Amino acid sequence: MKKPSAAPVLSVHRAQKRFGAIEALKDVSLEIFKGEVLALLGDNGAGKSTLVKCISGLHALDGGEITIDGKRAALSSPAAARRAGIETVYQDLALFDNLTPAQNFYCGREIAYPSWLPQALRFLDRQTMDREAAAVIERLKVKLPKFDAPVALMSGGQRQAIAVARATVFARKVVILDEPTAALGVRESRKVLDLILQLKAEGNAVILITHNMEQVVELADRAIVLRQGRKVGELKPSRSNQQKLVSMIVGAEA
Amino acid sequence: MAIKPMPDATLRDSFRESVIARASVLPWVLRLLNIGPILILILLAIVVSILTPNFLKPINLGNILAQIAVIATVAIGQHVVILTRGIDLSVGSNLALATVMGGLVFRMTDSSTAVMLAMLLSGTAIGAVNGLVYVFGRLPHPFIITLATLSICRGLALEFSVGHTTMRGMPDAIAALGGYSYFGIPNSFFVVLAVVLVAAVFTRYMVWGRWLYAVGGDPQAARGMGIPVRGVLVSAYVISGLCAGIGAILLSGRTGASSPLYGDLLELDTIAAVIIGGASFLGGRGHIGHALVGALMIGVIRNALNLLNVDVFFQMIAIGVIIVVAVEADVLRNRLEAQARALQSTRLQ
């Protein structure tokens, strides 16, 4: 019998990725477990974004493999990754300005009927989608000015909260957050950090990319440091080794 | 937008008050801009009916509806394309080619069904060519392919039509659809209403419509969300072609003829109708009914200028000026939305 907490939800084994002459990922391996926040650290160009894009199906690996629950996963497209239970909140959000929060939530996976028609020709079940999206927004205590207004009218923090909330609805295994607080003020950041803790509490594995060491120390159970496409360190972040983490990132450790 | 530290409390209070005032006025202005086209249409009708009493006579109103039927129908298809950030310049020539195809079929058979089918198929086929070449030819913008088919269709229509000119005669059923009235309302307008209704159901209540708005809103994000972007784009041009085919039936029904010269500058009229009606050129915005409102506005303006004996050339100028106003209103709306967003961030708690 397999104990659920003992086996990693997602594991990347010896990942390789090249862009022409540039080796973006060299033999990077990582594992992440249920209910854990893993911080992915590194300077610009260290390979964090490339790694994340491979996991979320935007890039294909040149070598190595990704397994989900111990089974090899073919993450050939963003849709395939999402079907496998991996949700990604991109830095540029990927929200549709012209749609409402509920419409954004279900975009590309609309609840619709009847099921014998092809998806494109089904009728939208707007009530169910509105109700469930509203329930999630409520549960996550996200304050929105108006629920039926296009997200174009909302602030950066509200939009980020919607994007994270969307991931929380659909995430079944792994949530990847790429610098979720980069464009936010203090109060709005706090909201998003609370959402991340909630994701973790609900049993998701969370991969967090950030440059903010305070957030790493506060949220992350583990941190992995990449430099020039290689994994150069892995440790449990705390106040006392914060400085060590920084020197690992910039490559100045003894 | 960063809040700079204020030197004293009164200044901060006045700042807070102005933020609150603007935050409460902005949504109203935006709402007004959204229903603006309908308000302007009503206002226009009132002004015109004061200027010339003939305007409100049932026969004149029926005339307007008959005159705008073709523009409105084709504008629905144009709107679907504009929703995806695209444009279909070929609709006018496409319509002309469709009438010619119908006219040729009418020389072989009296069946009105066959003639209608020929027109619909011709229109849809050209739409499919537009969409497929745009998407799978990886063109940077649909402007180019639809400009090419604009030329190709006109050439084909002239080449195929007997004597390279207008062919008289249409089956009775088509003449009835395009020319006759029912209780003062032209049959063609019932067709317009049916097309609007079907288009509204497809765009507002079905998944395809949601995808249309998503692709128009952010094509990159739509791909990331797993929406079949290419299929959605091709379908938009197919629908536009189909609408041109329906327009061909209405026009050849009204005139009892088919002609390679029909639909001249129809692309401008339909784009004008969509933009005047309040859709956004930036894609992903506007109710499909906006195209009907825009077409009605064009119809009312032309009719009013006719009734007031204003030169025909001035009509073209008037329509052009109104397009500029409509586009500026769209720009203004986008700026106000950006302001509303900034206010959301700075709103003091």
Side-chain angles (χ1 to χ4, degrees):
Chain A
M1 292 303 277
K2 199 167 58 173
K3 270 182 279 172
S5 58
V9 182
L10 176 103
S11 77
V12 178
H13 186 63
R14 305 194 62 146
Q16 312 270 356
K17 180 73 191 174
R18 306 182 66 96
F19 296 105
I22 301 156
E23 278 190 273
L25 293 176
K26 291 174 250 182
D27 264 347
V28 176
S29 298
L30 67 84
E31 292 186 327
I32 178 157
F33 300 85
K34 206 169 178 301
E36 180 187 46
V37 176
L38 174 72
L40 199 54
L41 306 176
D43 210 348
N44 293 334
K48 297 167 301 190
S49 288
T50 308
L51 180 58
V52 158
K53 281 177 178 162
C54 290
I55 299 173
S56 59
L58 278 169
H59 289 332
L61 284 177
D62 293 332
E65 62 174 13
I66 297 173
T67 59
I68 293 171
D69 286 334
K71 284 192 285 289
R72 195 179 170 158
L75 306 173
S76 54
S77 70
R82 215 174 305 121
R83 273 195 301 276
I86 299 169
E87 284 291 319
T88 311
V89 180
Y90 297 103
Q91 213 168 351
D92 48 11
L93 295 178
L95 284 184
F96 299 92
D97 273 348
N98 55 335
L99 302 182
T100 67
Q103 292 170 347
N104 262 293
F105 262 60
Y106 287 95
C107 203
R109 49 195 156 195
E110 292 81 3
I111 301 176
Y113 59 91
S115 53
W116 50 268
L117 278 172
Q119 173 74 358
L121 297 180
R122 291 182 195 165
F123 288 88
L124 295 161
D125 187 351
R126 299 208 269 189
Q127 281 171 349
T128 307
M129 289 191 280
D130 281 353
R131 195 177 55 233
E132 300 205 341
V136 174
I137 297 272
E138 173 84 35
R139 177 166 64 88
L140 297 175
K141 301 186 187 65
V142 177
K143 282 203 188 68
L144 297 181
K146 266 182 78 194
F147 191 66
D148 55 355
V151 298
L153 298 176
M154 295 173 193
S155 75
Q158 288 162 341
R159 290 154 61 86
Q160 189 63 270
I162 291 167
V164 177
R166 174 172 63 183
T168 65
V169 184
F170 294 101
R172 281 172 292 112
K173 296 194 169 110
V174 181
V175 181
I176 302 170
L177 300 152
D178 189 357
E179 303 209 30
T181 60
L184 303 185
V186 177
R187 194 183 284 117
E188 294 187 322
S189 294
R190 189 64 249 164
K191 189 102 233 169
V192 170
L193 299 184
D194 289 343
L195 285 178
I196 295 172
L197 288 174
Q198 188 128 10
L199 275 174
K200 171 187 156 130
E202 288 172 7
N204 288 292
V206 180
I207 299 177
L208 175 67
I209 297 185
T210 178
H211 283 121
N212 185 323
M213 283 302 135
E214 290 298 317
Q215 290 176 8
V216 173
V217 170
E218 182 195 335
L219 297 173
D221 301 295
R222 229 157 20 100
I224 285 178
V225 182
L226 297 182
R227 196 169 66 235
Q228 289 165 1
R230 286 182 196 285
K231 186 163 115 180
V232 294
E234 175 169 352
L235 51 79
K236 225 178 191 28
S238 67
R239 295 265 169 241
S240 51
N241 62 18
Q242 194 174 339
Q243 208 48 50
K244 190 179 167 202
L245 266 177
V246 174
S247 40
M248 265 158 71
I249 290 166
V250 297
E253 82 266 49
Chain B
M1 197 163 95
I3 308 171
K4 294 195 186 99
M6 293 290 165
D8 61 46
T10 46
L11 204 55
R12 197 184 307 123
D13 281 351
S14 73
F15 177 75
R16 181 199 293 263
E17 263 163 36
S18 78
V19 166
I20 290 169
R22 302 202 65 165
S24 52
V25 170
L26 254 182
W28 285 102
V29 177
L30 282 170
R31 222 165 291 164
L32 206 64
L33 274 176
N34 281 335
I35 56 163
I38 297 173
L39 288 181
I40 293 172
L41 178 61
I42 295 169
L43 211 68
L44 198 65
I46 294 171
V47 170
V48 175
S49 57
I50 293 169
L51 285 177
T52 156
N54 286 332
F55 176 75
L56 280 183
K57 285 188 178 150
I59 188 155
N60 184 53
L61 293 179
N63 265 340
I64 295 178
L65 295 185
Q67 279 158 7
I68 62 128
V70 173
I71 296 178
T73 310
V74 181
I76 299 295
Q78 186 73 260
H79 195 177
V80 168
V81 167
I82 286 180
L83 274 179
T84 66
R85 295 189 177 185
I87 196 161
D88 189 347
L89 297 177
S90 70
V91 287
S93 325
N94 188 358
L95 177 141
L97 180 60
T99 66
V100 169
M101 288 301 175
L104 290 176
V105 169
F106 185 51
R107 304 194 132 220
M108 294 183 279
T109 166
D110 280 342
S111 157
S112 58
T113 319
V115 174
M116 283 197 237
L117 269 180
M119 294 194 197
L120 295 178
L121 273 177
S122 170
T124 310
I126 298 300
V129 169
N130 282 336
L132 290 170
V133 174
Y134 168 44
V135 169
F136 293 99
R138 297 169 187 279
L139 297 182
H141 196 276
F143 182 90
I144 296 151
I145 175 59
T146 58
L147 187 62
T149 43
L150 177 154
S151 179
I152 292 169
C153 289
R154 189 67 73 187
L156 286 175
L158 281 162
E159 174 61 30
F160 288 151
S161 58
V162 178
H164 308 302
T165 185
T166 306
M167 301 183 288
R168 295 256 146 243
M170 271 292 137
D172 290 342
I174 294 181
L177 211 55
Y180 299 171
S181 291
Y182 190 78
F183 283 118
I185 296 173
N187 287 344
S188 54
F189 193 68
F190 289 113
V191 175
V192 171
L193 287 183
V195 171
V196 170
L197 201 70
V198 170
V201 168
F202 266 75
T203 52
R204 309 302 288 190
Y205 296 98
M206 290 169 88
V207 174
W208 175 77
R210 181 61 47 77
W211 288 353
L212 208 57
Y213 280 85
V215 169
D218 191 337
Q220 220 52 41
R223 200 162 294 130
M225 288 293 131
I227 292 170
V229 175
R230 293 174 156 197
V232 171
L233 286 175
V234 172
S235 73
Y237 290 88
V238 169
I239 296 294
S240 179
L242 176 64
C243 287
I246 299 172
I249 295 174
L250 296 181
L251 186 55
S252 44
R254 196 173 92 211
T255 56
S258 53
S259 171
L261 306 172
Y262 280 170
D264 193 30
L265 293 183
L266 184 62
E267 61 281 354
L268 283 188
D269 279 346
T270 54
I271 293 166
V274 172
I275 298 302
I276 293 174
S280 173
F281 244 129
L282 304 170
R285 274 163 194 256
H287 190 285
I288 210 82
H290 285 156
L292 179 57
V293 173
L296 279 170
M297 222 183 299
I298 291 178
V300 169
I301 291 166
R302 286 207 174 129
N303 180 260
L305 295 177
N306 277 336
L307 292 178
L308 296 168
N309 283 324
V310 177
D311 201 7
V312 170
F313 307 120
F314 187 75
Q315 294 183 16
M316 297 170 81
I317 299 171
I319 300 289
V321 169
I322 290 162
I323 293 177
V324 175
V325 172
V327 171
E328 278 305 321
D330 186 31
V331 172
L332 177 68
R333 179 174 58 190
N334 282 315
R335 280 195 31 205
L336 289 178
E337 280 185 1
Q339 279 189 21
R341 187 157 55 231
L343 282 172
Q344 280 296 334
S345 326
T346 55
R347 196 176 243 180
L348 309 170
Q349 297 180 350

